Amino acid sequence: MTARAPDERPCVDSGTSIPAALPTFDTRQWAASEQTWSAGGTTVTLLAEAGAAELSAEESGAGGAQVTVTGRRPGVVTIRLETRLGDAAGFWHPDAGWERTLPADWSRWRTVSLVNSAPVGCLYDTAGRTMLAFAADRTVAETALRFGVSEEHKKFGVWLRLPLDPDQTLRLRLAPDGGTVAAALRDLGSWFAQLPGGRPMPTPDFARTPVYSTWYAFTQDVSAEEVAEEAALAAELGFGQLFLDDGWQRGGHGRGYSGCGDWQPDPAKFPDLKAHVQAVRGLGLRYVAWVAPLLLGERSDAYRLLAGFAPHRDHTLDCRVLDPRHARVRRHVVATCAGLVEEFGLDGLKIDFLDEAMSYAGATDPEATDPAVSARALSAPPATDPAVSAPAPPGSDDGYLPDIGAAMAAMLGELRDALRRLRGDDFVIELRQRYTGPAMTAFGNALRATDCPADAVANRIRTLDIALLAPGGAVHSDMIMWDHQAAPQVLARQFHGAWHAVPQISTRLALLPAEHRRTLAFWLSTWRELRPALTGGHLEPGRPDELYPQVTGVGGGLEVVTCYTQAVVAVGPGTAADLVVVNATGTDRILLDVTGPPRRAQVEVHDCQGNPVGRRTRELTAGITSIPVPPHGVCRIEQRGP
């Protein structure tokens, strides 16, 4: 048999679904097939060996369609979705980050699973109208995904590649074309929530209240006394939760994780964590603690017991990663996390670094053609460490689950159920991008943007990305931090980056200048008043590739428009009578495009610190109207009759 170079291995019949083993480009990915279905502008094609699988489809009465691929004999299949390029402007997917435009069809394959993004995406044009919006029900098991523009065919394609057993199915939902990105993703999010096992966890009311976080305020240099002082100030400002982040645990110092694994309080920092939690809760704050249960540091006592179940070492984190495919690891994680909640009276857990489980993705695919892929995750611990004993080989360990997504679903389901036995539904499990996909809402009810210290733009993009697809749960911002020596306007800008999410604040409240304290108090109070429209209503953020320049939220009889660029705000007959426009820019005015009959409006303006600038009655007539609003200030418009 003649060996092929990696870029010559055929995409369709290579027998693997491991992205690292697939070619960067193969002309056969655009091959024709007898199993093809088309509706509107979208064509779905099944690429597989003859008789391996069968494709069927039906259009739904409400628009859109469902496509089903059913396995007939064991094998790997590829499903291609394609549409003409038209006026395509960008492709949204949960792990887009700053990748907001159109990649080529020779871009890399990627793995999606329960703890890494999700099999969902949306192609849209320059008017923000959707051209192809899809979701797959394979939200747990590992799936290879690719998408991009064909130079030869002048089309945009999406490929999903996965193994199918006989009678096993893959279902695809195609949302109706022509609506906004937000509308399409709402459709797909609702579909996800109706899948077996997809019902979102209940979210207690306190999970939707502002959070005081210790991370950027203290990093790992944290203590019970200082946290209690901050908690008292946070309660006065109207916070509802306190999140104790990294540093509370024994070995939690040095910004590395070589001490992680035992998850017991540092006696010097928290000599009586249970009493401390009770004292903070007595102030009216709920208490949530950080934990990273898959990280195993070599300085922990747990290392000698569990290192054999953590073959992968992350040099950046300076620790090993426990392999949750093993039942012993899953039992350890559940017992550790549930034990923390029970022993210290916590209201929930901020569970970090679950995406590190992807270190073991694809490692047990029996059809793998790249030995480096398997060796990466299945390599035994160093033989030079006599304290390390390797676990039983994969497959012989009682309860071993070869797919990392399935293993994580089992572990998180057991953890959720254990906490439910302790607390009913009155607890929080916070999850962080990139494991905030729609399937994860069954295991977590607070979904946080990934770390972006002092980056208000990133906070805006990441929270809105989560909110567009999350069928349940409270969307949380990354912790807001700022320079205490900067102008109050800087604080307001950071807050506006988290405006359409539950704000997490992380700064030393005891050290805030008076004007910063006033500014923070004003925006916290305003956010709480507008919360029904900001986080619980109908959301329209505009085009993802433009970084969501103007976001509209409607709910509770309110309409809130947040302008991140100097865009014109449409005020028509359908606009809510109570309209709030946030000027989240450095300009000193907002522009209204008024349509419909003339009417009077009461206009009230505040600057970034909450100081009143003016209140007067204005006549709103058709055309462009300019209203002076200070940078990062807010304008409330109460529309009345003629």
Side-chain angles (χ1 to χ4, degrees):
M1 180 176 178
T2 304
R4 291 188 176 100
D7 61 351
E8 294 175 339
R9 288 178 291 188
C11 172
V12 174
D13 57 2
S14 63
T16 182
S17 59
I18 299 178
L22 291 168
T24 56
F25 181 76
D26 188 333
T27 56
R28 297 179 69 173
Q29 67 192 27
W30 285 100
S33 169
E34 292 183 358
Q35 299 207 56
T36 296
W37 175 85
S38 297
T42 299
T43 298
V44 182
T45 301
L46 172 62
L47 301 173
E49 293 183 359
E54 182 178 306
L55 182 146
S56 62
E58 60 178 351
E59 297 186 53
S60 62
Q66 178 165 298
V67 178
T68 302
V69 177
T70 305
R72 295 306 179 201
R73 54 187 175 81
V76 176
V77 302
T78 299
I79 299 95
R80 182 179 72 232
L81 297 86
E82 64 187 83
T83 189
R84 298 297 304 177
L85 275 177
D87 194 22
F91 182 73
W92 183 94
H93 58 100
D95 194 28
W98 298 109
E99 184 186 54
R100 301 268 150 179
T101 50
L102 300 175
D105 64 351
W106 38 261
S107 61
R108 65 185 176 90
W109 285 89
R110 60 191 76 205
T111 299
V112 296
S113 83
L114 180 69
V115 289
N116 187 39
S117 190
V120 57
C122 181
L123 180 73
Y124 54 90
D125 64 18
T126 56
R129 295 182 298 256
T130 56
M131 303 171 64
L132 167 61
F134 78 94
D137 68 349
R138 192 178 165 93
T139 56
V140 173
E142 300 166 37
T143 303
L145 175 68
R146 178 192 233 166
F147 43 82
V149 173
S150 168
E151 300 169 12
E152 294 84 1
H153 299 276
K154 312 303 184 280
K155 293 181 179 181
F156 188 88
V158 177
W159 293 263
L160 295 111
R161 186 165 174 81
L162 61 148
L164 274 184
D165 291 328
D167 297 323
Q168 185 180 12
T169 62
L170 171 78
R171 287 186 292 167
L172 291 167
R173 166 66 181 169
L174 301 179
D177 292 342
T180 66
V181 174
L185 294 177
R186 275 193 294 272
D187 176 281
L188 299 177
S190 297
W191 182 78
F192 276 124
Q194 296 168 15
L195 295 175
R199 182 179 179 182
M201 276 181 63
T203 303
D205 289 341
F206 78 82
R208 303 183 191 278
T209 61
V211 175
Y212 179 81
S213 167
T214 64
W215 178 241
Y216 293 140
F218 294 94
T219 58
Q220 292 177 314
D221 187 17
V222 65
S223 70
E225 182 179 356
E226 290 176 307
V227 171
E229 179 184 9
E230 292 293 296
L233 296 172
E236 292 177 5
L237 286 167
F239 287 84
Q241 308 172 73
L242 185 142
F243 280 23
L244 176 64
D245 214 294
D246 184 9
W248 65 269
Q249 75 281 9
R250 195 171 65 213
H253 53 79
R255 289 297 294 267
Y257 298 96
S258 62
C260 280
D262 298 327
W263 304 112
Q264 290 298 310
D266 185 323
K269 298 177 181 180
F270 292 88
D272 190 341
L273 180 57
K274 184 175 182 178
H276 165 73
V277 171
Q278 290 175 339
V280 171
R281 292 185 90 249
L283 298 169
L285 299 176
R286 295 299 191 99
Y287 206 113
V288 175
W290 175 89
V291 64
L294 290 182
L295 302 189
L296 183 68
E298 296 174 3
R299 293 192 293 110
S300 69
D301 293 342
Y303 179 76
R304 292 183 176 275
L305 298 174
L306 295 169
F309 294 91
H312 176 74
R313 191 177 196 285
D314 190 306
H315 295 281
T316 301
L317 299 177
D318 192 22
C319 66
R320 291 180 183 245
V321 179
L322 287 166
D323 184 349
R325 295 175 298 173
H326 294 280
R328 181 175 174 183
V329 170
R330 299 195 297 274
R331 290 194 297 267
H332 164 76
V333 168
V334 172
T336 296
C337 292
L340 289 174
V341 171
E342 183 174 23
E343 182 177 359
F344 301 114
L346 301 173
D347 292 295
L349 297 171
K350 170 181 180 171
I351 306 182
D352 214 351
F353 292 110
L354 292 182
D355 42 357
E356 289 298 317
M358 292 301 291
S359 305
Y360 303 105
T364 56
D365 188 328
E367 303 293 336
T369 56
D370 187 346
V373 176
S374 295
R376 179 187 67 198
L378 299 181
S379 59
T384 56
D385 187 348
V388 173
S389 58
S396 62
D397 176 21
D398 182 32
Y400 182 85
L401 298 173
D403 184 272
I404 196 63
M408 291 297 289
M411 185 186 81
L412 292 172
E414 292 168 13
L415 173 58
R416 174 199 59 206
D417 295 344
L419 295 185
R420 184 168 283 156
R421 288 191 293 270
L422 291 172
R423 300 297 302 271
D425 287 324
D426 192 36
F427 67 92
V428 158
I429 295 178
E430 188 204 73
L431 307 172
R432 168 184 54 79
Q433 282 170 323
R434 301 180 302 183
Y435 48 91
T436 54
M440 287 295 273
T441 60
F443 308 112
N445 49 15
L447 313 175
R448 181 177 68 85
T450 193
D451 299 29
C452 50
D455 191 335
V457 176
N459 223 353
R460 172 175 94 233
I461 295 165
R462 293 170 183 178
T463 51
L464 289 168
D465 278 348
I466 298 173
L468 281 173
L469 192 60
V475 178
H476 284 213
S477 74
D478 184 39
M479 294 74 74
I480 300 171
M481 59 168 284
W482 65 91
D483 183 353
H484 288 191
Q485 297 182 11
Q489 182 176 316
V490 172
L491 186 169
R493 186 174 73 86
Q494 292 296 330
F495 204 111
H496 293 157
W499 190 236
H500 290 267
V502 174
Q504 292 201 16
I505 309 294
S506 190
T507 193
R508 296 292 292 271
L509 299 175
L511 303 180
L512 276 183
E515 58 183 3
H516 282 219
R517 183 181 174 85
R518 287 195 304 271
T519 304
L520 179 59
F522 171 72
W523 287 111
L524 283 168
S525 174
T526 304
W527 183 90
R528 290 194 301 270
E529 177 194 1
L530 303 178
R531 186 180 72 172
L534 294 175
T535 66
H538 181 94
L539 185 70
E540 285 290 346
R543 278 173 50 178
D545 63 311
E546 293 181 340
L547 310 184
Y548 307 125
Q550 185 180 102
V551 184
T552 300
V554 180
L558 295 165
E559 182 168 341
V560 180
V561 179
T562 310
C563 299
Y564 294 101
T565 62
Q566 196 176 28
V568 176
V569 178
V571 181
T575 303
D578 198 349
L579 172 66
V580 178
V581 182
V582 178
N583 180 19
T585 76
T587 62
D588 59 1
R589 63 175 180 165
I590 60 171
L591 298 175
L592 308 181
D593 183 7
V594 179
T595 57
R599 61 266 196 196
R600 289 178 298 153
Q602 189 71 35
V603 178
E604 185 175 1
V605 177
H606 290 80
D607 68 12
C608 71
Q609 297 184 63
N611 299 314
V613 174
R615 178 182 175 88
R616 65 192 183 96
T617 300
R618 291 193 59 152
E619 188 79 12
L620 297 182
T621 57
I624 301 296
T625 296
S626 175
I627 298 180
V629 179
H632 293 280
V634 61
C635 174
R636 190 160 196 152
I637 303 169
E638 298 177 10
Q639 298 187 72
R640 302 174 179 175

